[in-house]
Amino acid sequence: MTQHTFESAFARLEEIVEKMNQDAIALDDSLKLYEEGDSLIQFCAKKLQDAETKIETLIKNRDGELVMGDDKRPATQEFSPPKNGAAQ
């Protein structure tokens, strides 16, 4: 597989889904697309997990210490996008 960014891998996954939804696709082609899609899904999942881990480590309290949850993992916060596109 060529080097992908998350965005390019996701775009390729969308193309694969579109192709696989066509009625006139050969079985061998479907299998190849499925294998490629599976590989891309694993790649995207790893990228998302890595991003989540990085974000968790950036959540710190005012003393600069990492805030740990009861489960001894870095604390996370729910993402709340700004309302009406305004910065908060």
Side-chain angles (χ1 to χ4, degrees):
M1 181 171 69
T2 60
Q3 288 291 355
H4 285 284
T5 63
F6 176 83
E7 293 78 10
S8 68
F10 194 82
R12 178 64 182 146
L13 274 170
E14 289 178 328
E15 291 173 7
I16 289 170
V17 168
E18 188 174 315
K19 285 181 182 181
M20 290 185 75
N21 282 331
Q22 295 174 356
D23 292 332
I25 186 167
L27 179 60
D28 287 342
D29 292 337
S30 292
L31 289 172
K32 287 178 186 175
L33 289 171
Y34 184 87
E35 288 174 343
E36 182 184 356
D38 187 58
S39 176
L40 290 168
I41 288 169
Q42 290 178 33
F43 172 83
C44 288
K46 171 106 174 70
K47 289 295 241 182
L48 288 172
Q49 180 61 47
D50 291 348
E52 181 181 6
T53 299
K54 195 176 278 190
I55 289 167
E56 286 174 345
T57 61
L58 294 174
I59 298 173
K60 297 182 178 186
N61 65 18
R62 291 177 191 220
D63 296 330
E65 298 294 320
L66 189 63
V67 177
M68 302 299 282
D70 293 335
D71 61 357
K72 305 296 183 206
R73 295 184 62 190
T76 60
Q77 296 176 343
E78 291 293 322
F79 174 72
S80 299
K83 295 181 182 180
N84 299 328
Q88 291 182 341

